[in-house]
Amino acid sequence: MKSREKLFKLLEKIKQQLETVSDLPEVATAQLETDLQSIYNQLNSVKADPAVDPTIRIWSDGACSGNPGPGGWGTIIFEDGRYQEFSGFQSKTTNNIMEMTGALEGIRRTPEGSQLIITTDSQYLVKGMTEWLRGWKRKNWKKADGKPVLNKSIWMALDAAAGLRDIQWQWVKGHNGHLQNERCDELARDAIEEAIKS
Amino acid sequence: MKSREKLFKLLEKIKQQLETVSDLPEVATAQLETDLQSIYNQLNSVKADPAVDPTIRIWSDGACSGNPGPGGWGTIIFEDGRYQEFSGFQSKTTNNIMEMTGALEGIRRTPEGSQLIITTDSQYLVKGMTEWLRGWKRKNWKKADGKPVLNKSIWMALDAAAGLRDIQWQWVKGHNGHLQNERCDELARDAIEEAIKS
RNA sequence: GGACACCCCUUUCC
DNA sequence: GGAAAGGGGTGTCC
């Protein structure tokens, strides 16, 4: 399978890099460790029996040329040894809407009751889902400053979809060498091209 | 004159933008209309005979790093075709004091008996001068809750200066693309830099 | 409770 | 340099 070959190639690349570089700063070491672990988990899950570890991993990212402007999202779903990429665009949107849409589109392609790990570089999305959403619902969708929460309809769709699944949200720093995050960024940017053409 | 060239340039820029953009959302259209009207009024008043329309326009804004903290104010006076900018700072003050000071410094640079339009984004200032001041003086500078009015000395200075002129107070939303308001904001911020240095 | 402004911080998108 | 979004806070009034 093509996508799996890609992963093996990347693994090899990283190994070579580790061998050639003599002194890594601690931050970079930790970073590499995370990446390697991530890749290991993926390769491992290829062989894993889905009945034993049914966790589905989702990565997503959004981009927006101009903000607001034409925007795109990219999503990777890694489930049961199957690696899939999705993307889409909107002709006029914002960075945050694309960020949310990427995750939502990922979740939607997943069965109800699934156990998910969703990784994104958007703190707006992660904190929104894990910290702020509860308060917003309690305070009738008002922010701390009393003004209405923006993008309410997408937050509600996300909340509804998330309510039917067991989701663990994970934030990673953007443009920091995270393999899948960078790939999603690429997917999102490619989608923008389509948005501009159409 | 340099400031007039600036205005012409801005007019040209906006014209170009209007020509290139095909479909504007309504909000943006309204915004542009306001800006264009503002610029038109300015250019027009350059040619206007001050004996016929002696109105002096003042814009002012205040800023304050930390609130309380080092603060600055910025004021634009547009009088008889002459465009002038002023600014100043205080090492420790509040946002509202700077907001008031900006207007006061503008008024002071204007002859007694002048007819002024003062534009600010501070509702504290506009409502203070047009609604609340009368009541405070009647009730011996006590607020609705019975406590003393704050910043009394500046309110009194403002009242004295305003009493000698014919002033129309106008409120505009802050950070909303209002040309002169944004410029005053810039002047105020630049002034804070000086406050911090000194 | 409401309004306006001023700040501090975080992340992403340009 | 700016926008899209969120949290925390103060300055002031009704």
Side-chain angles (χ1 to χ4, degrees), chain A residues 58-184:
Chain A
I58 294 178
W59 292 267
S60 74
D61 192 33
C64 184
S65 175
N67 197 24
W73 55 269
T75 300
I76 292 171
I77 300 181
F78 197 78
E79 174 188 9
D80 187 16
R82 221 174 45 226
Y83 176 97
Q84 290 177 278
E85 297 180 343
F86 304 94
S87 63
F89 61 87
Q90 279 176 27
S91 58
K92 178 146 193 208
T93 183
T94 70
N95 63 329
N96 290 328
I97 290 173
M98 284 301 94
E99 219 68 76
M100 296 165 85
T101 304
L104 181 57
E105 293 285 343
I107 297 172
R108 275 187 176 151
R109 284 169 171 80
T110 260
E112 295 185 7
S114 308
Q115 184 180 322
L116 312 179
I117 298 177
I118 304 180
T119 305
T120 170
D121 62 23
S122 169
Q123 218 155 95
Y124 177 62
L125 178 55
V126 173
K127 295 206 168 179
M129 291 305 289
T130 60
E131 298 177 25
W132 304 332
L133 191 59
R134 243 188 316 275
W136 292 338
K137 288 197 281 191
R138 202 186 319 121
K139 292 191 297 177
N140 206 33
W141 294 92
K142 295 276 185 279
K143 292 187 295 180
D145 63 6
K147 295 198 172 67
V149 173
L150 299 189
N151 303 323
K152 178 181 164 186
S153 61
I154 310 182
W155 282 120
M156 280 172 45
L158 228 21
D159 187 37
L164 301 170
R165 292 158 182 88
D166 174 18
I167 303 186
Q168 184 185 325
W169 293 90
Q170 183 180 324
W171 176 81
V172 290
K173 182 154 180 56
H175 305 289
N176 211 324
H178 298 279
L179 237 40
Q180 296 83 1
N181 180 256
E182 309 254 309
R183 176 56 185 153
C184 288

Side-chain angles (χ1 to χ4, degrees), chain A residues 24-51:
Chain A
L24 276 167
E26 254 185 62
V27 188
T29 311
Q31 187 55 67
L32 267 171
E33 212 175 294
T34 308
D35 284 351
L36 285 171
Q37 188 60 44
S38 158
I39 293 166
Y40 171 78
N41 288 343
Q42 278 189 39
L43 290 173
N44 205 34
S45 69
V46 172
K47 303 181 297 178
D49 180 354

Side-chain angles (χ1 to χ4, degrees), chain B residues 64 66 95 99 123 174:
Chain B
C64 183
N95 65 328
E99 217 75 68
Q123 224 158 88

